[in-house]
Amino acid sequence: GIKYLQSAFEMNQRLHPENHYQIARSLGAIGSGYIDLGDFEKSLEYLKASLDILMTLNPITYDKIADLQ
């Protein structure tokens, strides 16, 4: 499964700019795949990269969090 997720990630890298939602989704999918394989360190690497992109695209501020309560 990881092989195909990596291929999808590489395709998304060719199709989209560096900080694009699809890149983040691909990284998250690879991270989830590594969780399934029990490789939690590798998973964390990919999930953090995904989160970094998502936070760049939609930054969360403390004001927004306070509005949710």
Side-chain angles (χ1 to χ4, degrees):
I2 294 291
K3 178 181 174 181
Y4 296 107
L5 295 171
Q6 286 281 3
S7 293
F9 170 67
E10 291 168 8
M11 186 182 338
N12 278 320
Q13 282 184 307
R14 289 191 298 273
L15 294 172
H16 303 291
E18 185 177 323
N19 284 333
H20 191 274
Y21 177 72
Q22 286 300 114
I23 302 283
R25 285 191 60 177
S26 290
L27 289 167
I30 294 169
S32 294
Y34 278 113
I35 286 174
D36 292 342
L37 295 175
D39 191 342
F40 302 111
E41 287 184 34
K42 195 77 155 173
S43 172
L44 184 59
E45 176 184 324
Y46 282 94
L47 292 173
K48 184 180 179 325
S50 175
L51 181 60
D52 288 344
I53 293 172
L54 293 172
M55 292 296 290
T56 299
L57 294 173
N58 188 22
I60 296 175
T61 64
Y62 289 107
D63 294 339
K64 288 182 183 178
I65 294 171
D67 289 341
L68 296 175
Q69 296 179 356

